[in-house]
């Protein structure tokens, strides 16, 4: 059984479009995250939600809007896509928001903006 | 905020040799230090972690050491195998902070 799943795995779209990436975890975790991994493999946190409440919002353009309909789901919507948005986006979850909880990562969504 | 530096960026070893990856962190409040392994086309997976009340932890061929005074921690892989080839990330996180900071990654290649 997949612990953290993301859809789609690949997403190719044109500049200016709006797209969404979905994430679901079946671990019963309270906290979920979105990370961006650039072409140099650098992993940077974008957002974190705890029990559907936003707790981390890094310096991310407001074209990116996370939505958590329930604590098992954290979706990422991106408006007006730009070339620089091309990256691999990882969803993750942890049992709680405390710093010592392990984070479990999804398989990633490779977004290519042309 | 926390800043994590990781070295080397690439590491090539012969099968059977040991590999060591080093990280330093800046925030003295950091108390949780996980190591992740990322294989091609997959998400990072936790391989070992250490908390600040422990100086060393070992799990079969993998060990992690932590020097809180110097603010650095290291990953040691012994008897490397070709399937150990991957990108390895260190990370650091404070007990009162939900924000985990990653190092830039080390691409390990184990040659058969």
């Amino acid at each position: 059984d997949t612990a953290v799943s993301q859809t789609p795995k690949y997403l190719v779209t044109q500049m200016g479009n709006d797209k969404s990436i979905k994430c679901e975890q079946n671990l019963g975790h309270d906290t979920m995250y979105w990370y961006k991994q650039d072409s140099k493999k650098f992993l940077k946190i974008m957002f974190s939600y705890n029990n559907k409440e936003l707790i981390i919002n890094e310096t991310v353009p407001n074209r990116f809007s996370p939505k958590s309909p329930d604590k098992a789901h954290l979706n990422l919507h991106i408006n007006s896509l730009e070339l620089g948005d091309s990256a691999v986006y990882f969803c993750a979850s942890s049992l709680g928001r405390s710093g010592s909880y392990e984070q479990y990562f999804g398989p990633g969504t490779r977004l290519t903006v042309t | 905020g926390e800043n994590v530096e990781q070295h080397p960026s690439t590491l090539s070893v012969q099968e059977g040799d040991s590999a060591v990856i080093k990280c330093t962190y800046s925030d003295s409040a950091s108390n949780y230090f996980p190591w992740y392994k990322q294989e091609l086309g997959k998400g990072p997976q936790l391989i070992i972690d250490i908390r600040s009340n422990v100086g060393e932890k070992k799990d079969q061929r993998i060990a992690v050491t932590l020097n809180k005074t110097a603010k650095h921690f290291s990953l040691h892989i012994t008897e490397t195998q070709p399937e150990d080839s991957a990108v390895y990330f260190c990370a650091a996180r404070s007990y009162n902070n939900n924000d985990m900071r990653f190092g830039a990654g080390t691409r390990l290649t184990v040659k058969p």
Side-chain angles (χ1 to χ4, degrees), chain B residues 3 8 15 19 21 24 27 34 39 41 54 58 60 62 64-65 67 72 77-79 87 93 107:
Chain B
N3 183 39
E15 183 177 0
I21 303 170
T24 61
D27 187 353
E39 295 176 327
V54 175
K58 192 173 181 181
Q60 299 182 343
I62 295 172
V64 58
T65 59
N67 183 328
H72 65 71
I77 306 174
T78 58
E79 301 171 29
V87 179
R93 194 174 183 186
R107 184 176 296 279

Side-chain angles (χ1 to χ4, degrees), chain A residues 12 17 24-25 31 51 55 61 76 83-84 97:
Chain A
V12 181
N17 285 348
E24 177 181 1
Q25 53 94 3
T31 310
N51 264 322
I55 53 173
L76 184 65
L83 292 176
R97 57 184 295 180

Side-chain angles (χ1 to χ4, degrees), chain B residues 79-107:
Chain B
E79 301 171 29
T80 54
Q81 300 165 4
E83 48 267 39
D84 294 331
S85 297
V87 179
Y88 290 81
F89 293 94
C90 64
R93 194 174 183 186
S94 170
Y95 73 95
N96 61 355
N97 188 335
N98 203 43
D99 185 4
M100 186 150 69
R101 297 288 172 169
F102 283 82
T106 296
R107 184 176 296 279

Side-chain angles (χ1 to χ4, degrees), chain B residues 6 8-9 14 19 30 37 40 44 50 53 57 66 72-73 75 96 110-111:
Chain B
Q6 182 172 346
S9 56
Q14 210 62 39
S30 290
K37 176 183 180 183
L40 194 62
I50 192 168
N53 58 347
K57 185 176 177 181
L66 171 65
H72 65 71
F73 55 114
L75 178 72
N96 61 355
V110 180
K111 298 178 184 175

